[in-house]
Amino acid sequence: MAEETQILDTQFDPEDEYRPEPEPEPQAPTWMDGSLRIGIHTSIAGSYLNALESARKLGCNALQVFSASPRMWAQGSSRIPDSDASAFRARRAELGLGPLVIHANYLINLAASQPMLRTRSIQAFHDELVRGIALGADFLVVHPGARGENSSQHAVGTIVEGVKQAAKRVPLGNLRILIENTAGMGTAVGSSLEEIADLVGGLSSLNAGACLDTAHLFAAGYDVSSEKGLEQTIEHIEDTIGLANVPVFHVNDSKIPLGGRVDRHEHIGEGKIGAAAFGRILRHPRLGALPPSGVLGRAFLLETPIDDPGDDRRNIAKLWELAGLEEVAPPVEKGFSMLTSAIKKKLVAHKKEAKKLARAASAKKKAKSKGKG
């Protein structure tokens, strides 16, 4: 039987070739458009969505939130339900708010050497990262912590290692960790720009940056209240951390004089820093959101007290005014405040009860001590 001849089909057919489309260029978020970003810390009480609506009603185009209770260790699951996170991301996109900054739990002490506190702190910070990613946050701000009897150099190494452990196997994506400067109370790490620079440098593999608080800078001895002092501070930031590594500022006036080393925030223009100084800060090209001198998307976020209904709204309006942008500021819902009269009454009653209990406890302690004598 004759052997069948095999014919190889070697003719090129374009239909047979797979030609993948090139990956599209990543698009910058809408909030990185060169406009100044001004916001405030808003409450997630009741729903994560409430924080977005508060920011909208107060006339913000950026915001900061806690992702969970800031003064409690997590009990049980600390994750955000997918449906809640998805709804939050969708609504934020609709409102065009950004950046979204999350402030980490106050109990976290990444400088701690005590094994239990250190383990808890690393786990809590890990949980903050996971929740931040779920919410689509842009930045996660954390205080460095208190070093106790350890040296500053030792504490810096401890903090860096703690952050790295917390971030291990966490796909950070667009979420950037920011180390916040401190006022210098007690053994708190991070009151000097050099310490913040060491921390940021030690975390370069994670692309960490810094969040600088004006009240903390002032209390730590950096005179941002005067024109000359601000220029000197800006140069100091550039020479240590690098201005490009400071995408977020916390803008708070200070109840404490220059170098007082105590963290006490005051309403904008009513403290020791003063309204004129905040005008200079908000209008300074090197601190702005417009390149080449500024940083795209740079945000100025308030953490000022809300003593009376409307304080939040008034402080935000004051920032837009001092920036010279009141005419283009987002619309405000008339009369809205995160602190209502009803909530204030409850807070006042709670404080009175707390003082009453404290006095009773003190009297009991004195009586007990007297009985022993």
Side-chain angles (χ1 to χ4, degrees):
M1 184 176 178
E3 189 174 332
E4 187 175 336
T5 304
Q6 289 187 335
I7 301 174
L8 296 177
D9 184 3
T10 58
Q11 187 170 348
F12 173 74
D13 185 345
E15 295 290 328
D16 293 336
E17 184 177 17
Y18 171 63
R19 290 170 295 179
E21 291 293 323
E23 287 289 326
E25 288 288 324
Q27 295 294 309
T30 55
W31 50 269
M32 295 182 74
D33 59 359
S35 63
L36 195 67
R37 315 306 291 181
I38 287 178
I40 194 171
H41 189 108
T42 57
S43 174
I44 61 169
S47 166
Y48 286 98
L49 291 172
N50 288 344
L52 296 174
E53 300 306 328
S54 292
R56 174 184 65 81
K57 293 174 182 177
L58 289 167
C60 302
N61 59 8
L63 76 158
Q64 176 176 279
V65 299
F66 293 122
S67 67
S69 173
R71 292 182 175 85
M72 290 177 61
W73 296 112
Q75 304 292 325
S77 175
S78 62
R79 304 219 169 198
I80 300 171
D82 289 343
S83 57
D84 291 353
S86 177
F88 180 92
R89 293 194 304 270
R91 181 57 176 153
R92 180 193 162 200
E94 286 177 11
L95 295 174
L97 293 170
L100 167 64
V101 180
I102 291 178
H103 197 299
N105 190 318
Y106 289 133
L107 299 180
I108 292 172
N109 184 0
L110 294 165
S113 55
Q114 304 95 316
M116 184 174 290
L117 178 56
R118 179 164 176 75
T119 300
R120 267 190 156 180
S121 295
I122 291 171
Q123 181 60 53
F125 191 59
H126 171 85
D127 293 343
E128 292 282 6
L129 290 168
V130 172
R131 289 193 296 269
I133 291 166
L135 292 173
D138 303 292
F139 302 108
L140 172 60
V141 172
V142 64
H143 294 170
R147 58 182 171 81
E149 296 180 357
N150 293 319
S151 68
S152 174
Q153 186 178 3
H154 181 275
V156 167
T158 302
I159 295 163
V160 167
E161 184 56 34
V163 172
K164 287 181 177 179
Q165 283 187 44
K168 196 177 290 183
R169 291 185 291 278
V170 178
L172 294 179
N174 294 323
L175 178 63
R176 191 177 184 189
I177 297 167
L178 303 182
I179 309 297
E180 183 175 355
N181 67 312
T182 60
M185 293 176 66
T187 62
V189 180
S191 61
S192 77
L193 293 173
E194 285 76 11
E195 282 182 336
I196 296 296
D198 288 344
L199 290 167
V200 170
L203 294 167
S204 59
S205 61
L206 295 177
N207 189 35
C211 167
L212 298 182
D213 185 307
T214 55
H216 299 177
L217 283 169
F218 191 72
Y222 298 99
D223 185 12
V224 295
S225 68
S226 69
E227 190 171 352
K228 181 181 177 181
L230 177 62
E231 292 298 335
Q232 291 175 336
T233 302
I234 288 172
E235 287 302 327
H236 201 156
I237 295 168
E238 179 60 40
D239 292 342
T240 51
I241 304 163
L243 287 165
N245 288 319
V246 187
V248 175
F249 279 88
H250 283 163
V251 277
N252 303 298
D253 213 327
S254 176
K255 291 182 179 180
I256 304 301
L258 178 65
R261 303 187 77 80
V262 177
D263 181 12
R264 294 290 183 273
H265 296 182
E266 181 58 286
H267 301 293
I268 299 299
E270 297 181 17
K272 304 296 183 181
I273 298 175
F278 284 104
R280 287 190 288 269
I281 290 168
L282 291 165
R283 296 177 190 232
H284 200 294
R286 296 182 73 186
L287 301 182
L290 194 61
S293 52
V295 172
L296 274 178
R298 179 176 274 149
F300 294 87
L301 303 174
L302 289 157
E303 295 176 320
T304 42
I306 308 177
D307 302 315
D308 294 301
D311 280 347
D312 44 6
R313 188 178 66 251
R314 285 185 285 272
N315 277 303
I316 293 164
K318 189 70 174 176
L319 288 189
W320 286 115
E321 176 194 334
L322 291 171
L325 297 170
E326 62 266 46
E327 296 299 321
V328 295
V332 177
E333 184 173 301
K334 188 177 180 181
F336 177 78
S337 176
M338 288 186 284
L339 178 65
T340 63
S341 297
I343 294 174
K344 183 178 179 180
K345 283 181 182 178
K346 288 182 181 179
L347 290 174
V348 170
H350 178 74
K351 285 180 181 178
K352 283 183 179 178
E353 183 62 22
K355 285 181 180 178
K356 184 179 176 182
L357 290 172
R359 284 196 297 268
S362 178
K364 188 176 180 180
K365 187 177 180 180
K366 285 180 180 177
K368 192 175 180 180
S369 177
K370 191 176 180 181
K372 286 182 179 179

